[in-house]
Amino acid sequence: MVKYNYDGPILEIDQLSISFFTRLNEIPAVMDFSCAIQPGEAMGLVGESGCGKSTVALGVMQDLGVNGRVVGGTIKFKGRDLNLMSPEELREIRGSEIAMIYQEPMASLNPAMKIAQQLMEVPMIHEGINKEDAYKRALEVVEDVKLPDPERILKSFPHQLSGGQQQRIVIAMALMSKPSLLILDEPTTALDVTVEAAVVKLVKDLGKKYGTSMLFISHNLGLILETCDRICVMYSGEAVETGRIEDVFDKMQHPYTQALFRSIPLPGADKNDRPLVAIPGNFPLPHERPVGCNFGPRCDYFKAGRCDQGPISMDTVPHGDRHGSRCLKWSEIDWDAPLELAEQKVKAEPGRVVLNIENLKKYYEVAANALFGGGNKKVIKANETLSFEARESETLAIVGESGCGKSTFAKVLMGLETATEGEILLEGKNIEGISIENRDTKTVADVQMVFQNPFDTLNPSMTVGSQIVRALELFRIGNSAVERTERMLELLDLVKLPREFADRMPRQLSGGQKQRVGIARAFAGDAKIVVADEPVSALDVSVQAAVTDLLMEIQRKHKLHCCLLAMIYRLYAIFPTAYW
């Protein structure tokens, strides 16, 4: 394929509307969306899950599936309308002129092919070059993404690389044909903060080297600030604010953008003096969008009779470069006024020691030929001399990179594994050598867990109420079905869910609501220790704030010691302090 130069915007989207069609009706996913990306420019697309970010990306790739359709507007790449291209023309452009990096690297890699073969086939297919030149290109790009020992990497299979290395290979694959436009869809969500920072720097450097324009999709404001020149904030299918990074971050002109900033913790801030402020209400489903401003029901500046009268268009903000806001009242709001902080909380005094860990060790013995080839058995040291104590009303954060032993310790504490050496004292009782099936009911109830992914922790065939009642039955709480039902309703009150949710199925709940059900189930037996294994990493920033505040409030009320495993706010790992 012969690439050609173009002086105008690399990508120009004008009043784009995308809908998905079911047997019953049309579901509008993106409405009146416009943006332009100039050569060498990076555009960040941010917003909560379900706002339409990935749908825009799939629209650019013309990969909306059988039910998706562009129902209005245009998507132009180098001046050519992608909607009018034939399948043959699109095949020539995809992977060559436009490349996409997905959230999960293993979804883009073939587990049965070596890295070299997967990289080489990109220029061989799109440019028709020979194997020798393709290998040289692959070696060069692997060096560009700063992987150690490039030749060994090229000879490896995907499963022999770490998550960060896999993501770098996916980036290398996207850059093999030196595309004009690179779309990155949440490329660092599954990575550790240190790896995340390295990948972000890599993307910035490669964008400059290759002159590639980028569309960076994320709900992580820190990443967008660090990598992009411009930003577009989306809410419920619409772009609500757009402009240069410095204009939007320093002089935000939409209430939703302001609400996002209030949902994130400040470095060094005390959790009691400055609690997080979650966005009130819930994100509207496509068929439940209000008349007028989509953000209206959750907005502090909403005015009935004005903000709910009909569609609202993007308005140009005078200051800044191409700064726009989809708000009727943007010019009337005092954006410099101090933000109203949430109610300050009284810090509870630490109580007695509930959990004591002394020189805990967990080793795994594996056959050497399965891992290293030949020889005797080898010992893998997952935990080595771990010691600490935890008191009532305290929160202990255990942090570290993937593979450092956090989850292994959680398994030992929960009884899913037994310790090799050392002691775990729960209120003076040794539990390190007792597996979960041999623990008494009270011990099981005392040590509970809130898992990382709320979507996989609930039984899809049982109602919310029945799943909480089931936990109460296992913990032998309540003398009758009536008592357990009443306790279940009280637990829903505790996690601030309406009591009518008891009759709902998990599929009818949002991610944040599912996580609240998981928290209610964990507290069903009046747990002494709650192990929260990255409980908000799969949630949006506004939902993160609500769930985190909920855990802190329950802890204050019930003098609970809550052990937060790897509670790393990836959102702020590389957020410059100048913007706080």
Side-chain angles (χ1 to χ4, degrees), residues 42-46 214-217 224 228-233:
M43 168 74 79
L45 201 55
V46 301
M214 292 189 291
L215 180 62
F216 202 118
I217 298 170
I224 296 300
C228 297
D229 306 300
R230 300 184 64 81
I231 184 173
C232 180
V233 182

Side-chain angles (χ1 to χ4, degrees), residues 66-129:
V66 294
N67 295 330
R69 193 183 313 160
V70 174
V71 295
T74 58
I75 307 173
K76 292 183 179 179
F77 174 73
K78 290 186 175 181
R80 303 171 64 195
D81 194 337
L82 293 172
N83 297 326
L84 303 179
M85 288 187 184
S86 66
E88 292 75 19
E89 291 175 310
L90 290 172
R91 273 196 296 271
E92 287 187 346
I93 286 180
R94 292 192 193 111
S96 175
E97 289 271 22
I98 305 176
M100 188 165 179
I101 297 172
Y102 293 91
Q103 181 173 347
E104 174 50 57
M106 277 306 291
S108 304
L109 296 174
N110 188 328
M113 291 172 62
K114 290 186 176 180
I115 298 300
Q117 187 179 355
Q118 298 190 54
L119 291 175
M120 290 165 58
E121 69 178 9
V122 177
M124 290 175 67
I125 291 174
H126 288 288
E127 301 176 37
I129 67 176

Side-chain angles (χ1 to χ4, degrees), residues 264-292:
I264 55 181
L266 305 184
D270 185 274
K271 66 181 181 181
N272 296 296
D273 292 338
R274 193 189 184 282
L276 301 181
V277 181
I279 302 176
N282 294 313
F283 189 85
L285 296 174
H287 60 280
E288 297 175 346
R289 290 186 179 116
V291 177

Side-chain angles (χ1 to χ4, degrees), residues 518-536:
I519 293 171
R521 194 170 56 182
F523 287 96
D526 293 322
K528 298 289 192 305
I529 306 284
V530 170
V531 182
D533 191 358
E534 298 211 36
V536 298

Side-chain angles (χ1 to χ4, degrees), residues 34-240:
S34 299
C35 78
I37 303 177
Q38 302 295 330
E41 192 173 63
M43 168 74 79
L45 201 55
V46 301
E48 296 175 86
S49 296
C51 71
K53 303 186 302 291
S54 295
T55 302
V56 170
L58 293 175
V60 174
M61 297 296 292
Q62 295 290 293
D63 187 23
L64 292 169
V66 294
N67 295 330
R69 193 183 313 160
V70 174
V71 295
T74 58
I75 307 173
K76 292 183 179 179
F77 174 73
K78 290 186 175 181
R80 303 171 64 195
D81 194 337
L82 293 172
N83 297 326
L84 303 179
M85 288 187 184
S86 66
E88 292 75 19
E89 291 175 310
L90 290 172
R91 273 196 296 271
E92 287 187 346
I93 286 180
R94 292 192 193 111
S96 175
E97 289 271 22
I98 305 176
M100 188 165 179
I101 297 172
Y102 293 91
Q103 181 173 347
E104 174 50 57
M106 277 306 291
S108 304
L109 296 174
N110 188 328
M113 291 172 62
K114 290 186 176 180
I115 298 300
Q117 187 179 355
Q118 298 190 54
L119 291 175
M120 290 165 58
E121 69 178 9
V122 177
M124 290 175 67
I125 291 174
H126 288 288
E127 301 176 37
I129 67 176
N130 58 44
K131 285 187 177 181
E132 290 75 17
D133 291 338
Y135 183 83
K136 290 179 182 177
R137 177 89 64 86
L139 190 62
E140 176 189 352
V141 175
V142 171
E143 289 174 349
D144 283 342
V145 296
K146 295 179 172 56
L147 282 170
D149 196 356
E151 292 191 355
R152 179 188 65 82
I153 293 290
L154 290 176
K155 295 176 183 177
S156 303
F157 287 96
H159 71 270
Q160 295 175 302
L161 307 179
S162 69
Q165 290 174 331
Q166 289 172 1
Q167 192 63 286
R168 287 171 185 248
I169 289 298
V170 172
I171 294 172
M173 188 182 300
L175 294 171
M176 280 295 289
S177 286
K178 300 178 181 177
S180 300
L181 177 65
L182 181 61
I183 302 173
L184 304 97
D185 190 358
E186 302 271 10
T188 62
T189 300
L191 305 179
D192 292 311
V193 287
T194 52
V195 180
E196 180 180 63
V199 170
V200 166
K201 185 178 185 303
L202 172 69
V203 169
K204 284 179 63 179
D205 293 343
L206 292 177
K208 292 178 181 177
K209 176 177 179 178
Y210 290 100
T212 303
S213 300
M214 292 189 291
L215 180 62
F216 202 118
I217 298 170
S218 179
H219 61 253
N220 187 326
L221 293 173
L223 291 184
I224 296 300
L225 174 65
E226 194 74 8
T227 55
C228 297
D229 306 300
R230 300 184 64 81
I231 184 173
C232 180
V233 182
M234 290 191 70
Y235 182 81
S236 191
E238 295 178 331
V240 295

Side-chain angles (χ1 to χ4, degrees), residues 179-436:
S180 300
L181 177 65
L182 181 61
I183 302 173
L184 304 97
D185 190 358
E186 302 271 10
T188 62
T189 300
L191 305 179
D192 292 311
V193 287
T194 52
V195 180
E196 180 180 63
V199 170
V200 166
K201 185 178 185 303
L202 172 69
V203 169
K204 284 179 63 179
D205 293 343
L206 292 177
K208 292 178 181 177
K209 176 177 179 178
Y210 290 100
T212 303
S213 300
M214 292 189 291
L215 180 62
F216 202 118
I217 298 170
S218 179
H219 61 253
N220 187 326
L221 293 173
L223 291 184
I224 296 300
L225 174 65
E226 194 74 8
T227 55
C228 297
D229 306 300
R230 300 184 64 81
I231 184 173
C232 180
V233 182
M234 290 191 70
Y235 182 81
S236 191
E238 295 178 331
V240 295
E241 185 168 6
T242 183
R244 293 182 305 182
I245 286 288
E246 55 268 31
D247 292 335
V248 175
F249 274 63
D250 292 340
K251 300 176 182 178
M252 61 190 72
Q253 298 291 308
H254 195 280
Y256 177 61
T257 310
Q258 184 185 63
L260 281 179
F261 276 82
R262 292 166 62 185
S263 301
I264 55 181
L266 305 184
D270 185 274
K271 66 181 181 181
N272 296 296
D273 292 338
R274 193 189 184 282
L276 301 181
V277 181
I279 302 176
N282 294 313
F283 189 85
L285 296 174
H287 60 280
E288 297 175 346
R289 290 186 179 116
V291 177
C293 178
N294 285 338
F295 187 61
R298 308 173 72 186
C299 181
D300 293 335
Y301 309 102
F302 176 79
K303 186 174 182 180
R306 182 179 176 189
C307 299
D308 54 2
Q309 293 304 296
I312 299 173
S313 60
M314 184 74 76
D315 196 7
T316 301
V317 177
H319 64 74
D321 175 33
R322 290 175 285 156
H323 192 176
S325 173
R326 194 182 295 270
C327 177
L328 294 175
K329 301 181 65 178
W330 68 264
S331 61
E332 305 167 20
I333 297 172
D334 183 5
W335 300 104
D336 295 324
L339 294 179
E340 183 178 341
L341 300 179
E343 179 187 354
Q344 292 187 351
K345 309 296 182 181
V346 178
K347 182 180 179 180
E349 290 299 321
R352 60 192 175 87
V353 174
V354 178
L355 182 69
N356 196 297
I357 311 292
E358 289 289 343
N359 298 319
L360 182 71
K361 298 181 180 180
K362 177 58 183 176
Y363 299 164
Y364 292 96
E365 196 174 68
V366 298
N369 58 1
L371 197 61
F372 305 100
N376 299 321
K377 290 185 176 182
K378 301 288 183 180
V379 173
I380 304 298
K381 298 181 178 181
N383 290 138
E384 181 78 345
T385 23
L386 185 62
S387 299
F388 62 84
E389 66 179 22
R391 298 175 178 271
E392 280 183 344
S393 302
E394 277 187 341
T395 300
L396 175 67
I398 300 179
V399 300
E401 297 181 70
S402 295
C404 72
K406 304 185 301 296
S407 294
T408 299
F409 164 69
K411 290 177 182 178
V412 174
L413 180 59
M414 296 296 297
L416 301 175
E417 300 275 3
T418 54
T420 304
E421 290 184 26
E423 289 186 330
I424 299 179
L425 297 176
L426 177 64
E427 296 189 314
K429 178 182 178 182
N430 285 83
I431 61 171
E432 71 281 347
I434 307 175
S435 60
I436 187 75

